[in-house]
Amino acid sequence: MAAAATMAAAARELVLRAGASDMEEEEGPLGSGPGLQEPLQLGELDITSDEFILDEVDVHIQANLEDELVKEALKTGVDLRHYSKQVELELQQIEQKSIRDYIQESENIASLHNQITACDAVLERMEQMLGAFQSDLSSISSEIRTLQEQSGAMNIRLRNRQAVRGKLGELVDGLVVPSALVTAILEAPVTEPRFLEQLQELDAKAAAVREQEARGTAACADVRGVLDRLRVKAVTKIREFILQKIYSFRKPMTNYQIPQTALLKYRFFYQFLLGNERATAKEMRDEYVETLSKIYVSYYRSYLGRLMKVQYEEVAEKDDLMGVEDTAKKGFFSKPSLRSRNTIFTLGTRGSVISPTELEAPILVPHTAQRGDQRYPFEALFRSQHYALLDNSCREYLFICEFFVVSGPAAHDLFHAVMGRTLTMTLKHLESYLADCYDAIAVFLCIHIVLRFRNIAAKRDVPALDRYWEQVLALLWPRFELILEMNVQSVRSTDPQRLGGLDTRPHYITRRYAEFSSALVSINQTIPNERTMQLLGQLQVEVENFVLRVAAEFSSRKEQLVFLINNYDMMLGVLMEFIEELLSPPFGGLVAFVKEAESLIERGQAERLRGEEARVTQLIRGFGSSWKSSVESLSQDVMRSFTNFRNGTSIIQGALTQLIQLYHRFHRVLSQPQLRALPARAELINIHHLMVELKKHKPNF
C-alpha cells in the first residue's frame, strides 16, 4: 500500500507538472492552483510576441523533462494517460478507505472533541485564576514597598534614639558621682590603691563637668558643689602627703632617693594638683625646690670639705717647675718644696683614674680614707666629687621631668633651681683651688674626666649639665695652658752657666720633659686635642734649645756629643716605652707569647711549647687577618696625637720597626723543633713581604 501510494503520488505530481502551463492560462494572472510552486509573473509579458511564448513553453518542457519522475516514467515506457487514470483510481480507493476509517473512529473523534472542549474550559478557569493571582501580587508588591518605607523610617528613628541614648549615657556617667568615689576620697588613706583609682575618676569627672559647662549644660549645676567639696578634700590630703615626703628629706642621714621613689609612685597626685589647684601645685614645687636645693648645697659643701682633707699633703707649688733645680734655695719664711719634683712630671698610676673601671667606680668615702690613713691626688678627688655630682644630677633631672611633668627649657629651669646653688658652689671651689694649682698632669686629667662625664651624661639623655661642663672646662683649660707656659718659660729662662758643675749624664730637665711629655701624650691619645699638642710642641722647642745651650758649655766636642747622645737617648727611651704602649692593644697577645717563649727557651724549658699549639695557631691567623687594619689605625692615631709631622713620622717608623723585629722573633720561636711541624706555620707571612707592605704605611711629608 505504501509503495502504491508513493507511485500514485509521483504520477499525480507528474501529471500536474505536465499540465501546469495550461492551467495557468485558464486561471489567469491572479490564479494560484494547488500544486503550483509560484505564480507566473506577467509584469512585462508581451502577448503580441510569438517568439516569447515559444521560449516560455520550451523552458517549461525542458524543466519537466529534467524531473526525476518524468525521467523514470520515460525510461520504463509507460503511457502517461493510462498511468494517470490508474493513479486516480488508486487515489479514489485510498480516499474511500480513509472515509471508512474516519467513520469507524467517529466515536473516538467525538470523545476527543469533548475532551478538548473540557480542557478549553479548564484552561479558561486557570487563566481567570492566574489573572486574579496577578492582580493580588500587584497589590502585595505595593504593600511590600509601603512596609519597606515604614521599616526604613523606623530604623532611622531607632539609630537616632540610640545615638541620643549614648550621648545622654556619657553625659550622665560623667556627671553622676558614685558613692564609692565619695567614700574613697573622704575616708581612704592616700597610699591605698583605691584612693588613687578614685582620684583619677574624680579628675576625669571634673574635666567632664568643665567641658559640659563650657557647652552650657544646665545639669552641671547639680553636681558642681559635690565635686568641688571632693576636690578640696583630695587636694588637702595630697598636700599633706607630699609635704610629709618633702619634709622627710630634711632629716639627718636620710637617703633622699627613698622619698623620691615614693613620690614617683604617686606622681599622679601632682598631676591632679596641676589640673585642679595650680596654686597648691606651685606651692609643692617651690617647697621641693627650696628643700632639695638646701640639702644638695649642704651635702656637697660638707663632702668637699671632708674630701679635700684626704688629698696628698705635698702638692705642686709655683716653684715646682721643669726648669727649677731640686736644690734651689728658698726664703726663710717660704714653705718646704715638694720632696721630689720628679713626681709631678711623671704619670705613673695616676692615669688609671680615666680608665672605664675607675671612672665610674664608687665615690670616695672621706672618713673611711682617714681611718685608713689614705691619701689621694687631686684628680682622684675631682673624679669622686664630680661622679657624685653627675649621678645625683642625672637622677634629679629625670625625677623632675617625670614627677613635675616638664621637659625642654622648663625642665632645665627647674633643674637649675634645684641644683644651681650646688653647681655654683662647686665652680667657686674649683676656681679657688685652681688659683694655687701648679700640677699640670692633675689639671689635664681633670679635663679628660670632664670630657668623659659629659659623654656619660649625653648617653643618659641628661642635657641639663652641658652648661656646667662648659664652665668647668673654661676654668681648667686656661689653668692648664698657664702651667705649661710657666714650664716653657722656666726652661727658656734657665741659664746653663748658673747650674753649677756640668755633667755629660742626662740632665734633670731632659728627664722631666721626657716623662712629662710621655704622660700628656698617653692621656691625650684617648681623646686627642690639638691645643695640647701645640703647647707640647712649644715645650719641645725650648727643651731642644736648652740641651744645645748646655752642650755648648762643654769645652771638647766629644763631651758635647756624649751629652747630646745621653740626653736624646733618655728621650728615646721614653719614646720606646710609648711605642710599646702603641703596639700593645693590637699585638699585645703576640708580644706576651714571644716574651714567654724566649724566656722558656733561655731556661731550657722549650718542651713546654708543645702545649701552646692552639694558642700559636690563633696568633698566626689573627695576625694574618688583622695586621693591615691595625697598622692603619695605629698610623692614624699617631698622626692625630702629634701635630709635629717630624715627631709623628719618627714614632710611626719606630713602631713599624719594632713590629718587624717582633714578628721576626716570632718566626725564630716557631722554628724550634717543638713547633716546627705545626700546620699553621704554612700561614705565616714572609718577613720580606711584611717589610714591603709596611713601607707603604710610611708617611711622607
Side-chain angles (χ1 to χ4, degrees), residues 537-550:
Q538 297 176 11
L539 183 60
Q540 176 187 351
V541 172
E542 294 301 329
V543 172
E544 289 178 351
N545 293 336
F546 170 77
V547 171
L548 294 176
R549 291 199 307 270
V550 175

Side-chain angles (χ1 to χ4, degrees), residues 152-216:
M154 292 176 66
N155 286 332
I156 293 174
R157 289 195 297 272
L158 177 61
R159 286 195 298 269
N160 292 338
R161 291 178 180 178
Q162 289 177 344
V164 171
R165 179 183 178 182
K167 296 294 182 180
L168 288 176
E170 293 178 1
L171 178 61
V172 172
D173 292 340
L175 297 179
V176 171
V177 180
S179 59
L181 188 151
V182 176
T183 303
I185 297 298
L186 296 179
E187 301 177 0
V190 295
T191 55
E192 287 190 4
R194 65 190 183 107
F195 179 83
L196 180 60
E197 294 176 0
Q198 297 302 326
L199 184 67
Q200 294 173 344
E201 181 69 18
L202 177 62
D203 185 62
K205 288 187 178 297
V209 169
R210 288 194 296 269
E211 181 182 357
Q212 294 300 328
E213 283 180 340
R215 296 179 180 178

Side-chain angles (χ1 to χ4, degrees), residues 263-277:
L263 286 176
L264 282 179
K265 183 179 179 182
Y266 301 103
R267 57 183 174 271
F268 182 74
F269 289 174
Y270 184 80
Q271 297 177 16
F272 180 81
L273 295 178
L274 200 63
N276 296 274
E277 193 65 37

Side-chain angles (χ1 to χ4, degrees), residues 421-438:
R421 295 169 60 187
T422 302
L423 298 178
T424 302
M425 183 266 296
T426 306
L427 287 173
K428 289 182 179 179
H429 174 270
L430 179 62
E431 185 178 8
S432 174
Y433 180 85
L434 291 177
D436 293 326
C437 178
Y438 298 92

Side-chain angles (χ1 to χ4, degrees), residues 18 37 146 155 284 372 414 433 478 490 558 570 602 665 668:
Q37 294 181 349
T146 302
N155 286 332
M284 298 298 98
L414 189 56
Y433 180 85
S490 69
K558 178 182 177 181
M570 168 65 69
E602 290 177 1
R665 291 161 59 192
R668 287 204 307 267

Side-chain angles (χ1 to χ4, degrees), residues 322 345 441 510-524 533 536 539-540 571 574-575 578 642:
M322 191 174 295
F345 300 108
I441 293 179
T510 304
R511 185 184 304 107
R512 291 174 182 177
Y513 165 73
E515 294 173 347
F516 183 70
S517 61
S518 176
L520 294 187
V521 168
S522 62
I523 297 172
N524 190 65
M533 304 316 299
L536 282 177
L539 183 60
Q540 176 187 351
M571 299 180 191
V574 177
L575 179 62
F578 177 70
F642 296 92

